[in-house]
Every structure is written in C-alpha cells, then in structure tokens.
Amino acid sequence: MLEDKNQARTSLSELGEFGLINHITKHFTLKQTSTVKGIGDDAAVLEASEQQTLITTDLLVEGVHFDLSYMPLKHLGYKSVMVNLSDVYAMNGSAEQITVSIAVSNRFPLEAIEELYAGIQLACETYGVDLIGGDTTSSTKGILISVTAIGKVNKEDVVYRSGAKDTDLIVVSGDLGGAYLGLQVLEREKQVFQVNPNNQPDLDNYSYIIERQLKPEARKDIPKLLQELGVKPTAMIDISDGLSSEIMHICSQSKVGCKIYEDKIPLDPQVISTCEEFDIDSTMVALSGGEDYELLFTVSIDDYDKIKANPHLTVVGHITEQAAGMNLVTRANQEIELKAQGWNALQS
Ligand code: ADP
Ligand code: MG
C-alpha cells in the first residue's frame, strides 16, 4: 500500500511513446494460430475462420472502477483482461486475442506501466490469448485502460441472453459475493491505514475474498465443461453486477420470469463469516454485490441429471412465465420481488 520511495522511477517522457510501446510489449509472444500479425504494423492481421467472431470491450477508469491505493497495478492489468475474457466465455466461446489501450498521466513512472503489463502478460499466458495491439496516449490525470477481447464460437454453440424458456433451470458457477466483500475489507483497511500508517493489517481471515476482488479469474473452464457434459445453455451472462441484475437481464431479453431460492445461493464460508462481522445480509451481497465474474446460465430441465452433481455448478432457481415476475423465494418461503439494485444499493 505504501509507495516505496527507494523504488526506481524512470519518467515516461525519457522513453517517448514508441520507446514505451516497444519496452512494454517486447516480452509478449504469440501463440494463437489465428494471429497472423500482432503488434508492430498499422493494424493486426487475423486469419478468418468458419466460426463466428466475438468482440467485446471494457473501459476502466481510475477513481471510477478502481482505486490504486489498494489495487496493485499488476492486479489491475490482470483484472482488466479478465473482465473482457469473461464476456467472451459468457457467449460460450473461446478467447484468442486482446488489444490494450492505455492513457497515463506523467505521475506514473515507467516501472508502474511495467507492473501493469506484467499483469496483462500473466493473464495472456494463463488464458492462452495473444496481445495483438492497442494504443498509448497521455492523460492529464490518472490512468485509464481499455481492453478489447476477440474470440470465436461455433455458430451452433453461441449462447445469447435471450434464449431462456419457462421451466428452464437457473445455474451459477462458483460462489457469489466474495469480490464485493473483499472490497469492503480493503476499503476498511485503507481507512485504518490513513489514520495510522504504522498499523499493519492482518488480512489472513479474508484471503479468499480479497483475492476475489484483486485477482478474479474468468470462467474459461465452464464453456468447456458444458461441452463435455453435453449441455448447451439456453441463455448465459457473466455476473459482473450481482446475481439480481444479471438474471433480470436474462429475463427481460428472454421475456420470461424467474424464481431464485435464497437457500440455494452458493456462498463461501468466508463470505458468510465476513457478512456476520460487517453485519450485512449475505443474500443481499450475492444478489447485489459486483465483480464475481462467475457465469449465470439457464438449461433445459431435461439436462438436470447432467449438471446436478457437478461441484462447479449450483442450481439456484428456475425460469417461469413472464407474468409471474422475477422473484426471490426466501428461507422463510416468502416471495419477494427481485430488484436490480447493483452494488451501489449496498453502499447506504
Ligand atoms: P499508430 O500510429 O498506427 O496508431 P502506434 O504507434 O500507436 O501506431 O502503435 C504501434 C504498434 O504498437 C501497433 O501495432 C499498436 O497496435 C501497438 N500498440 C500501441 N500501444 C499499445 C499498447 N498500449 N499495448 C499494446 N500494443 C500497443
Ligand atoms: Mg496509435
């Protein structure tokens, strides 16, 4: 959290734009056969294929989407790739390339940009995607990162948000709420640190949820798993804003309703214990906390046997006809209407 005064600081202006681009991208290697030409010309060149192409972009702005006082730049680089790969996997596709554009103020030394790109490179290597280009410019204040991911999907495999049908089961991968709670812990520690910089935080009890916030993993394994199980989801979306708002996207685009069962929502034990400590409702956190990057999808009830025992997947409810609305069935067996509050609703 502390800025190390002894750390080397090479000013970006010493290198110039081209020197910087060359410096930060020279360690990247290309692995995808579809990448014909990566960085270094006016445009990258990709080989066309029989499959359909997926393209998705996210823009992350300092002070809006991340806070560098607790987000190390390496993690930021990694996460900015993850949020895009997650969108490709949510279409039931595979990711092959990314571009990365950055705007940085001269408050950042070269070493900071190296850290950012170390995270981007780790993400590229771990997920097998090629960095094929981008743009670099200056900003008057702060840092801004835009990543575009390019992927592929067989025409018959693509899954939209709009295909859910009455009686379909609603399934989530992994567990929910951790990333939001990790952020709460980090923000609390930041405030403690501001009051007393000598206070070293003990974060052992929060390791899982902090990792969920700082180093999320996109669920590359889920489209593959579904293929192995012989299941094609009827609709799918990634959970960036909380279960509630994502299921509402599926319902509105599919013109259906839903029932989510509170007691079925998958929660890590650390989420439960931290919710108790912070005195927040864990269901609320799962429904409205953001940034878990799990996948939410619907499958035909005929596929239940194929998914039921899988440790990565949890059935949390089912689709209904639209007129029944979108509801949460509580542990007390009461039905309450779901609201797409997003995680700002938790900030009261
Ligand atoms: P142009 O003037 O044609 O926009 P640039 O000088 O901006 O070209 O970029 C030169 C090469 O470096 C291009 O291949 C571009 O895609 C790549 N590039 C520029 N900035 C970045 C970046 N931040 N990350 C990755 N590649 C980059
Ligand atoms: Mg350019």
Side-chain angles (χ1 to χ4, degrees), residues 307-334:
I307 58 158
K308 68 178 177 198
N310 198 288
H312 299 288
L313 307 176
T314 309
V315 177
V316 295
H318 60 85
I319 297 293
T320 63
E321 54 181 26
Q322 191 168 29
M326 296 173 278
N327 296 294
L328 177 76
V329 182
T330 67
R331 288 194 186 87
N333 212 20
Q334 276 187 321

Side-chain angles (χ1 to χ4, degrees), residues 17 21 134-136:
E17 185 189 329
I21 295 171
D135 201 18
T136 308

Side-chain angles (χ1 to χ4, degrees), residues 9 99 125 137 147 163 174 227 233 261 279 290 306 319:
R9 287 179 68 91
T99 66
E125 283 164 5
T137 187
V147 176
Q227 193 137 44
Y261 292 83
D279 198 19
K306 298 180 189 164
I319 297 293

Side-chain angles (χ1 to χ4, degrees), residues 26 90 99 133 160 162 169 181 209 218 228 248 297 317-318 348:
K26 67 183 174 200
T99 66
Y160 297 100
S162 55
L169 300 174
L181 279 180
I209 57 176
E228 285 164 8
M248 291 178 81
F297 56 93
H318 60 85
S348 57

Side-chain angles (χ1 to χ4, degrees), residues 51-54 91-94 151-155 157-159:
Q51 293 177 295
Q52 291 184 330
T53 306
L54 302 167
M91 301 302 290
N92 207 25
S94 59
K152 278 190 189 146
V153 63
N154 290 326
K155 202 175 180 170
D157 292 338
V158 63
V159 177

